């Protein structure tokens, strides 16, 4: 049980670290216009499509995918259970949907944030086998 929990926690830390890093890179290359605060009530209804260029949005979606891949792989490998990758993907989906609820995102981005992390978890779930490749200690 401890191994499973440790794998999921470390996988989540790595996943959100990847998401944060790629979103920081996106923000460095494509900063928001001066004076624009997406969290103010005056700007919450403003569509991201009018403010943020497409490459910046693609980098955010890439961050969700890389986070789900890296964090899911670590969680599955450490916990030796496939469920580790799926739980990390669920956390990424929850983060993507909560961000989309706080800041208006295009529909395709919300759909990508809802679907792609699950696909990435499916792709890395077999990393759980690599933790069992060695014989158990006696």
């Amino acid at each position: 049980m401890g191994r499973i929990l440790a794998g999921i926690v470390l996988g989540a830390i790595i996943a959100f670290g990847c998401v944060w890093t790629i979103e920081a890179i996106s923000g460095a290359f494509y900063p928001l216009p001066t004076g624009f605060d997406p969290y103010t009530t005056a700007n919450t209804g403003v569509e991201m499509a009018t403010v943020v260029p497409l490459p910046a949005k693609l980098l955010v979606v890439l961050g969700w995918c890389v986070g789900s891949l890296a964090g899911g792989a670590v969680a599955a490998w450490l916990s030796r259970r496939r469920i580790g990758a799926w739980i990390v993907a669920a956390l990424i989906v929850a983060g993507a949907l909560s961000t989309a609820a706080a800041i208006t995102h295009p529909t395709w981005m919300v759909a990508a944030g809802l679907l792609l992390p699950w696909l990435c978890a499916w792709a890395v779930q077999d990393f759980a086998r690599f933790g069992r490749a060695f014989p158990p200690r006696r």
Side-chain angles (χ1 to χ4, degrees), residues 7-8 10-23 59-77 81-96 112-127:
I8 291 168
L10 188 59
I13 290 170
I14 289 173
F16 284 103
C18 290
V19 171
W20 180 84
T21 301
I22 293 175
E23 287 186 6
L59 279 173
V60 170
V61 172
L62 176 70
W64 295 337
C65 292
V66 169
S68 187
L69 284 170
V74 168
W77 178 71
R81 303 281 188 277
R82 292 178 177 192
I83 192 71
W86 294 104
I87 291 174
V88 169
L91 292 172
I92 295 291
V93 167
L114 183 62
L115 299 175
L116 289 178
W118 298 118
L119 182 63
C120 294
W122 176 79
V124 299
Q125 70 180 343
D126 283 335
F127 275 85

Side-chain angles (χ1 to χ4, degrees), residues 32 36-44 98-99 102-103:
L32 290 174
F36 181 80
D37 182 13
Y39 295 104
T40 61
T41 55
N43 294 329
T44 52
S98 67
T99 302
I103 304 169

